[in-house]
Amino acid sequence: MFRIDLPSNDVPKKWYNINADLPSKLPEPKSSEGKDQVGDLPDMLINECLKQELSNERYIKIPKEIRELYQRMGRGTPLCRARGLEEKLNTPAKIYYKREDTSPTGSHKLNSAIAQAYFAKKEGVERLTTETGAGQWGTALSLASSLMGIDCTVYMVRVSFEQKPFRKSIMQVYNGTVYPSPSMNTEVGRQINKETPDHPGSLGIAISEAVEEALADEKTKYSLGSVMNHVALHQTVIGQEIQTQLEMADDEADTVVACVGGGSNFGGAVFPFMKDKLKGNIDTEFIAVEPAACPTLTQGEYRYDFGDNIGFTPLLKMFTLGHDFVAPAEHAGGLRYHGMNPQISLLANEGYINCRTATQKEAFAAGQMFAQCEGVLPAPETNHAIKVAIDEARKCKETGEEKSIVINFSGHGLMDFKGYGSFMDGSM
C-alpha cells in the first residue's frame, strides 16, 4: 500500500486536548513584576481561543462550519509509504509520511488558521494581526481571513521576507497585508530600526509588532500560528488521522518524527499518540528535531520567559533561549524561534520526548534525497524531520529491526528554491 487516503467524512470531529492527560500540572502563564500581561489576554486574543488555551477538557468539539472548511481545503490528507526512500536506504524499516503539504497553502498551518479566523468572525473581530517566519503561517491566516471576510495584517521576519519574496505575493493574493519586521508601522519596530537599521528580525520581534497593533484597536485581535496550547490543539487532527490510517494499513507507529520551532506541527502529530503512551498502552518513541542554529529544546533553559521580544505577552514556562535571542539567518525560517510550546516543554523536561538537532546542510541533503526518491520537495523545516527519520531507518538496517517510522511532512518546499539553490551550488 503506497498511499492511504482518508474519506472526508472520517475527518476528526473533535480536537484532542493533552492538558487533560499531562503527567503533571501545566504551569500557568503569569505576569511580570509591575505589569498585567495575563489581564491583557482578553484584549489580545480571540475569546474562544483563550478559553481553549486554559481548558482541561479532553476533547473539544470541532464546529460543523470548521469541519466543512477542513474538508473543502483537502482534509483528510494522505499518509504515504516512502517506498523509494526505503529502497535507497536498503532498510527493513517502513517509512510513512503524513502529507500536510497538500493543503492549498502548502503546510499544516491552515488547520489552526481556519479555526482562529472562524472564531474571530463569530466574535465580531474585523482584523487579525500576526507574525510569520518562513511565511507558511502568514499565508494560511491570509487565506482563512479571506474565507471569513475579515482583514489580515502579517509581520514577516525581515530575513525571510527577503529570502522568500513570492510568499509575500501569495499572501497578497489572499488579501493579506504584509510588512517586513521590524517595520516602521509600530513603536516596537521603529525603535529597533533606529537602534539597528539592518536588523534581520526575529519571530519574537514580529510577535511584539502584531500584539502592539492588536492591543491598540478593540476590533483587532492577535492570532498566532504556533507555541500556544490552542494552536497545538487545532493541529491534533493530524495525529488522529494518522492513527486511523495506520489502523487501515494494519500497522502501528514505533517512531513519530516532526520538526519543532514553536511546536504546533509536532504537537499536532504526536499528542494523540502521547495520550496512549501516558496511559501505558503503547511504547512509541517521539522525536522532535530542531535546527542546530536554534537549539531551544536541546540547549535552552526550562523556565518562565516572554513569548515575544518586548514583553507584551505573559510569561510562559517553557524551554527558551531567551526572548532577546536572534537566530542566524538560515533558510528554515519557521524554526527560528527562541521558545517552545509549554506542553511540549513539560513533556520534554519529564523525558517523554527525544530531542535532536540537525544542521542546515544535513537537513537540505536529506530533503534532496527525499525529493529524488519520492518526487515531493520538502520545506526546509520539514527536512529536519526527514534527516532524523533517515538516521533512524539506517539504524534499523544495522540492527535488522522492522520499525514503522512516521514523519509529519509539515510542508512543501516550492517557495524555497533560493535555499535549495544555495545548497546545490555550494554557497550555503
Side-chain angles (χ1 to χ4, degrees), residues 110 112-115 117-118 139-150 174:
L110 203 54
S112 188
I114 286 172
Y118 170 80
T139 303
L141 192 65
S142 294
L143 172 56
S145 298
S146 179
L147 292 170
M148 294 300 163
I150 57 180
Y174 291 140

Side-chain angles (χ1 to χ4, degrees), residues 333-362:
L335 305 184
R336 292 196 296 251
Y337 182 62
H338 70 273
M340 185 57 58
N341 168 275
Q343 298 156 318
I344 291 171
S345 294
L346 184 151
L347 289 163
N349 189 58
E350 299 200 11
Y352 291 96
I353 296 171
N354 185 345
C355 308
R356 310 258 186 100
T357 63
T359 68
Q360 182 169 238
K361 288 184 179 179
E362 289 173 340

Side-chain angles (χ1 to χ4, degrees), residues 155 158 180-197 199 205-206 208-210 212 309-310 312:
Y155 287 93
R158 179 177 287 160
S181 174
S183 75
M184 297 302 290
N185 286 23
T186 66
E187 186 60 36
V188 169
R190 287 189 292 270
Q191 185 62 35
I192 292 172
N193 277 313
K194 180 180 178 181
E195 295 171 356
T196 313
H199 200 294
I205 292 170
S208 292
E209 292 205 82
E212 180 183 321
N309 179 264
I310 299 301
F312 286 137

Side-chain angles (χ1 to χ4, degrees), residues 132-136 156-165 167 203 291-294 327-337 358-361 363-364 378-384 412-428:
T132 196
Q136 290 99 329
M156 186 173 184
V157 176
R158 179 177 287 160
V159 64
S160 291
F161 184 91
E162 294 168 353
Q163 287 174 342
K164 308 172 196 295
R167 279 285 179 193
L203 279 167
C294 190
E330 295 199 349
H331 288 278
L335 305 184
R336 292 196 296 251
Y337 182 62
T359 68
Q360 182 169 238
K361 288 184 179 179
F364 271 91
E381 294 82 6
T382 309
N383 286 341
H384 291 71
H412 67 59
L414 296 178
M415 289 285 104
D416 300 289
F417 293 129
K418 185 174 181 179
Y420 276 99
S422 66
F423 173 73
M424 299 295 292
D425 66 21
S427 62
M428 180 177 282

Side-chain angles (χ1 to χ4, degrees), residues 19 84 198 206 249 367 371 407 418:
N19 281 353
D198 296 323
I407 304 166
K418 185 174 181 179

Side-chain angles (χ1 to χ4, degrees), residues 371-402:
Q372 290 174 347
C373 294
E374 300 301 322
V376 187
L377 188 71
E381 294 82 6
T382 309
N383 286 341
H384 291 71
I386 293 170
K387 191 271 177 188
V388 168
I390 289 172
D391 291 344
E392 292 299 302
R394 283 174 168 154
K395 288 180 186 176
C396 289
K397 180 181 178 180
E398 295 172 2
T399 64
E401 293 178 280
E402 298 181 1

Side-chain angles (χ1 to χ4, degrees), residues 289-302:
V289 192
E290 60 189 5
C294 190
T296 307
L297 284 168
T298 51
Q299 295 185 33
E301 298 177 7
Y302 185 49

